[in-house]
Amino acid sequence: MTTATQNLENDHVQILRLIEVMERITKSADPNVEHLELIVRIIREFADGLHHAKEEQLLFPLMVKKGFSNESGPVAVMLHDHAEGRNFVKGMAENISLYKQGEASALKAIYNNTLGYADLLKNHIHKENNVLFRMADKAFTSAEQESLLLDFTKVELSRENQQSKSDYIAMIDKLSGIYFR
Ligand SMILES: [Fe+2]
Ligand SMILES: [Fe+2]
């Protein structure tokens, strides 16, 4: 049976596949801008919108309820990483617009933000998989894991005007197929 933390680890697998594509794109002097825009969209709607929402609205509050601090320690570090990630994505999006308007020098800023995001998230996912989620597994009862997973599923299904999780995975599959033929 899947646990709530395994549900999040499965998302991590997809986010890491997207990061591989991101790193590959930065090797190009003339990138496909539509792909860059699609990446920003997948991060905003899937990695941040869906995955980080499950962590911030459900996992972390339950951990705090079980005695973890919100202001210092592992949960606070994770929240800080999420905020830093949003800044990198903002930097990507802003510079993609400039680049589309003909500002060639914006490409370097797109790539700096892309690689900044990639490094941050690889590190972040490593900390969650190896430290934070293992702490949660120890702290939660199996009933708590079960109800958390149920709540995750509700979040996954209740997102209005957004694609479903499998649609985002299909988008990542498509990009991965293009860059890792
Ligand atoms: Fe996270
Ligand atoms: Fe995560």
Side-chain angles (χ1 to χ4, degrees):
M1 223 213 63
T2 314
T3 62
T5 46
Q6 278 165 0
N7 168 289
L8 297 172
E9 284 174 63
N10 292 340
D11 292 344
H12 287 168
V13 172
Q14 301 304 329
I15 296 167
L16 289 171
R17 291 178 70 216
L18 181 66
I19 286 172
E20 282 179 0
V21 170
M22 292 166 74
E23 290 175 332
R24 176 61 70 95
I25 285 188
T26 64
K27 307 260 187 280
S28 168
D30 181 23
N32 181 318
V33 176
E34 276 178 28
H35 291 169
L36 289 169
E37 289 177 320
L38 181 60
I39 288 166
V40 167
R41 181 177 158 212
I42 298 170
I43 295 173
R44 285 190 165 154
E45 296 179 12
F46 173 70
D48 205 37
L50 175 61
H51 178 76
H52 289 168
K54 287 188 285 186
E55 292 177 349
E56 292 185 5
Q57 292 163 25
L58 296 163
L59 174 77
F60 299 166
L62 182 60
M63 292 186 77
V64 170
K65 215 173 126 192
K66 301 295 280 188
F68 290 87
S69 166
N70 215 354
E71 279 137 35
S72 63
V75 174
V77 174
M78 296 305 116
L79 286 168
H80 180 265
D81 286 351
H82 289 182
E84 213 178 319
R86 281 171 202 132
N87 280 333
F88 282 127
V89 179
K90 188 163 173 270
M92 283 178 72
E94 285 170 357
N95 285 289
I96 290 169
S97 316
L98 293 175
Y99 186 66
K100 279 172 81 177
Q101 288 160 32
E103 237 182 84
S105 66
L107 188 60
K108 194 168 189 297
I110 296 172
Y111 286 174
N112 284 342
N113 282 286
T114 301
L115 293 174
Y117 183 88
D119 282 347
L120 175 79
L121 259 284
K122 280 192 289 187
N123 201 277
H124 178 77
I125 286 172
H126 185 82
K127 285 184 284 191
E128 286 185 337
N129 286 353
N130 294 290
V131 183
L132 192 89
F133 292 175
R134 306 292 73 88
M135 288 173 162
D137 287 345
K138 279 197 191 110
F140 297 166
T141 64
S142 52
E144 283 166 337
Q145 282 270 16
E146 259 175 60
S147 83
L148 190 59
L149 180 63
L150 197 67
D151 289 341
F152 284 174
T153 313
K154 281 185 203 151
V155 173
E156 285 170 4
L157 296 174
S158 76
R159 305 180 65 255
E160 290 163 21
N161 307 319
Q162 304 266 347
Q163 315 281 129
S164 72
K165 180 167 153 174
S166 58
D167 291 326
Y168 293 113
I169 295 173
M171 291 175 203
I172 297 170
D173 285 343
K174 187 183 147 221
L175 284 170
S176 198
I178 293 168
Y179 289 92
F180 296 96
R181 256 192 285 249

